Amino acid sequence: METISFIVGLLYQYADTIALLALSAIGLIIIFGMMGVINMAHGEMMMIGAYITSFAHYAGIPTALAVILGGIGAGLAGMIIERLVIRRFYGQLLSSLVATWGLSLILSQGALLVFGQLIQSVPTPFGSFTVGELSYSYYRMFIFLVAMAMIAGLWALFRFTRFGVRARATMENPRMARALGVDTSRVYALTFGLGTMLGGFAGGLLALTSTIGPFYGMTYTPQAFITVVVGGGAEIVTGLLASVLSLGAIKTIFMNQTNILLGHVAMLVLAFVIIRLMPSGISDWVERRQVRVRER
Amino acid sequence: MELGLEGVTSGYGGIPIVREVSLEVENGEIVAIVGRNGVGKTTLIETVAGLLPVMEGGITFRGQDVTRADARDRARLGMGYVPQGRGIFSRLSVEENLRMGELVGGGRAEAAFERVYEWFPRLRERRRQRAGTLSGGEQQMLAIGRILVGQPSILLLDEPSEGIQPTIVEQIADVIATLNRDNALTVLLVEQNIDLVCATAHRCIVVDKGATAATLTPDELADPEVARRYLAI
């Protein structure tokens, strides 16, 4: 019985860690992979999603719908930001970092001025279950499933839809895509909106498990960055999966055996090692290897 | 007239490479642009495709002034551009690459996958494969096939024979000639390979130092003496 409860505990923690990493990084990695831009304001997109979720929930809207509204709101905000700011910084990693960092400050400080230190948090739905001594939240497992469904959905979107094929072509060679009649600036705007929408949706989902304030996004931003950098931008979906599975595993093991702090440290150490060996991320490294094997 | 250039000057970063080029391509005609390396042939065809801005002069395409239209608009009007180095999307599958041609010529008509697979059966065999794994010749078939999935009214080909084995060059020449004969497809071809030019072109324009230097018939170009003089091969 003890072993079973240990294994269940470990798996639960692993699923929970994966969900957190995947949800915080999914929107960011789309934008990075497609446009070579790191959106430092990604955490604020999650904050927007969380705020809309909370306001909608207390306006009497069903929670599920409130979270979806959070995603839509952040998606629209992202498309406006893309048009006004990001558009000028495509392919310029450093300038885009500074510009989006400024945006991040404006949005979080703006939220502080308008809404104050904290807004009402939304109760976690679904209750809990116990295995052995320990109790687990159904909602956390639900979030894990949603995160996996989001990754699968993203894969299908890029694989099977017209928009997805054009987006991948634009990502690889925008000049050629344009010469084939693709409206690449529209593809960029939609992709950016998709990335911030998923960020807002993730923010809404996670808002049901924590307190919500102007700096809510900053809790998730660091691990989102690590996940994206480790995953790399060559293949969005495989990079994201490889990254969350490996980082999640090491973090879970250390968290389980020691404490949360050492869990974070272990994850950072692994990220350092991976980046040292594969400077542009796992997916890029895999792609180069495949090319090399073929050329032999 | 399908395509007309009137005193076109263009280049990279404000430095003109192509200077005051005027030429006309009639509907259903195959025109080859020949000349030595580095005389501006690729710059010229990229300017026609809309990838480089026109610094001076004007371009008309099917009766419309497209001087200020960008590459996307020109593609949708029916310009099918096949760049040097082929420009295939190596991470996409063969079939996905073909789908990328749908917008050429407006993108409303039924895409012609079957027709393309009939011309290039090898692409059908490999349609699920990543395009980056194809050989150079297969990639060239894919780049041309991709345009033909759409509804191009002119084909802009930049060095289609580059780095490709002779049998595939012949096959490509066949397809170009057949399309021209049966569908009245207009072709503007930049090429160094005299055999391919002679097998397809109706008229050859020699470019030197960014300007048009002479107009020859393919028969004249087939004469080694003439070819040596203009192309210095």
Side-chain angles (χ1 to χ4, degrees):
Chain A
M1 193 59 214
E2 199 125 293
T3 348
I4 291 176
S5 99
F6 172 75
I7 292 171
V8 169
L10 203 62
L11 286 177
Y12 175 86
Q13 263 184 333
Y14 189 36
D16 189 37
T17 311
I18 288 175
L20 268 177
L21 291 174
L23 283 176
S24 44
I26 190 165
L28 196 64
I29 200 167
I30 293 172
I31 292 167
F32 175 63
M34 276 294 300
M35 293 166 279
V37 163
I38 287 270
N39 180 18
M40 294 280 282
H42 188 67
E44 281 58 47
M45 296 297 123
M46 295 178 72
M47 181 265 287
I48 290 176
Y51 271 54
I52 294 176
T53 301
S54 168
F55 294 146
H57 173 80
Y58 288 105
I61 292 169
T63 314
L65 194 59
V67 172
I68 291 169
L69 284 177
I72 294 173
L76 291 176
M79 284 173 71
I80 294 169
I81 290 171
E82 195 272 347
R83 178 111 332 170
L84 296 178
V85 182
I86 311 288
R87 179 156 292 201
R88 295 158 218 280
F89 297 101
Y90 285 136
Q92 307 172 39
L93 187 61
L94 290 178
S95 324
S96 71
L97 277 175
V98 177
T100 53
W101 187 42
L103 266 175
S104 148
L105 294 176
I106 292 167
L107 289 172
S108 53
Q109 298 293 337
L112 178 65
L113 280 176
V114 177
F115 301 112
Q117 280 290 354
L118 275 180
I119 64 164
Q120 266 187 299
S121 53
V122 185
T124 310
F126 300 154
S128 60
F129 61 100
T130 49
V131 175
E133 303 271 282
L134 300 166
S135 117
Y136 303 101
S137 147
Y138 277 117
Y139 183 67
R140 294 241 169 215
M141 292 300 91
F142 171 73
I143 285 190
F144 170 73
L145 294 178
V146 172
M148 292 300 112
M150 279 163 80
I151 294 176
L154 201 60
W155 178 80
L157 176 78
F158 280 119
R159 190 67 41 183
F160 300 122
T161 69
R162 219 174 224 126
F163 166 77
V165 172
R166 283 177 194 163
R168 278 161 55 223
T170 304
M171 169 174 163
E172 191 180 324
N173 187 346
R175 197 166 186 258
M176 191 63 224
R178 217 162 42 243
L180 289 169
V182 175
D183 190 341
T184 48
S185 61
R186 190 162 150 264
V187 169
Y188 286 146
L190 285 174
T191 313
F192 197 85
L194 174 69
T196 57
M197 183 186 87
L198 292 180
F201 185 64
L205 281 172
L206 294 170
L208 274 56
T209 66
S210 68
T211 54
I212 315 170
F215 308 107
Y216 166 85
M218 289 177 190
T219 332
Y220 302 102
T221 316
Q223 51 189 0
F225 282 128
I226 296 166
T227 308
V228 169
V229 171
V230 167
E235 281 278 358
I236 290 167
V237 172
T238 48
L240 183 62
L241 269 179
S243 181
V244 297
L245 292 179
S246 57
L247 293 177
I250 197 96
K251 188 177 174 187
T252 306
I253 291 166
F254 274 79
M255 253 174 21
N256 191 278
Q257 293 301 309
T258 59
N259 57 45
I260 291 181
L261 182 68
L262 283 183
H264 278 296
V265 171
M267 183 171 80
L268 278 173
V269 170
L270 178 68
F272 276 132
V273 172
I274 292 178
I275 294 166
R276 184 73 191 78
L277 297 174
M278 312 173 219
S280 45
I282 298 176
S283 64
D284 195 68
W285 182 79
V286 169
E287 186 173 83
R288 275 168 213 234
R289 246 181 101 81
Q290 283 171 344
V291 171
R292 227 178 302 147
V293 167
R294 213 174 302 126
E295 279 167 358
R296 223 172 264 157
Chain B
M1 187 178 68
E2 179 78 8
L3 176 73
L5 274 67
E6 181 66 47
V8 168
T9 297
S10 75
Y12 300 87
I15 299 159
I17 293 171
V18 166
R19 289 191 173 95
E20 294 179 26
V21 167
S22 296
L23 60 87
E24 288 183 358
V25 181
E26 295 302 326
N27 206 329
E29 197 180 18
I30 302 182
V31 173
I33 297 190
V34 297
R36 284 170 291 137
N37 275 328
V39 297
K41 304 190 298 290
T42 293
T43 310
L44 181 60
I45 205 162
E46 284 186 349
T47 308
V48 172
L51 290 166
L52 288 175
V54 174
M55 293 154 90
E56 266 170 58
I59 301 177
T60 54
F61 177 52
R62 303 175 81 190
Q64 282 188 58
D65 181 6
V66 295
T67 313
R68 300 277 157 244
D70 73 357
R72 179 197 62 145
D73 299 328
R74 293 191 204 181
R76 293 189 178 198
L77 284 173
M79 280 194 190
Y81 171 58
V82 180
Q84 196 172 19
R86 305 177 269 273
I88 63 142
F89 301 106
S90 60
R91 288 179 194 154
L92 269 56
S93 72
V94 168
E95 196 164 81
E96 287 169 338
N97 264 277
L98 290 177
R99 274 174 72 180
M100 288 301 295
E102 286 172 342
L103 290 170
V104 174
R108 269 169 290 277
E110 178 84 353
F113 290 97
E114 273 313 307
R115 214 174 39 168
V116 170
Y117 284 144
E118 271 164 40
W119 282 319
F120 303 115
R122 234 184 297 175
L123 294 182
R124 190 203 301 272
E125 286 164 29
R126 309 197 168 202
R127 64 185 187 278
R128 305 237 175 274
Q129 222 167 297
R130 261 178 164 232
T133 65
L134 300 183
S135 72
E138 289 163 348
Q139 290 190 6
Q140 188 65 61
M141 293 178 191
L142 179 57
I144 294 175
R146 180 171 65 186
I147 297 303
L148 300 178
V149 160
Q151 302 268 298
S153 80
I154 188 169
L155 208 52
L156 306 172
L157 295 172
D158 194 355
E159 303 252 8
S161 75
E162 192 190 36
I164 289 173
Q165 48 182 336
T167 52
I168 294 182
V169 174
E170 269 173 45
Q171 197 186 345
I172 288 168
D174 270 355
V175 170
I176 294 172
T178 310
L179 279 166
N180 174 260
R181 198 178 52 237
D182 298 350
N183 304 7
L185 186 69
T186 314
V187 181
L188 184 65
L189 171 74
V190 163
E191 189 51 77
Q192 305 257 36
N193 182 323
I194 303 283
D195 294 336
L196 178 57
V197 171
C198 292
T200 54
H202 302 145
R203 187 155 60 96
C204 310
I205 296 174
V206 182
V207 174
D208 195 23
K209 291 178 189 150
T212 48
T215 300
L216 304 173
T217 65
D219 289 340
E220 286 173 318
L221 195 65
D223 178 352
E225 191 55 42
V226 176
R228 195 173 306 120
R229 176 145 39 95
Y230 285 108
L231 308 178
I233 318 173

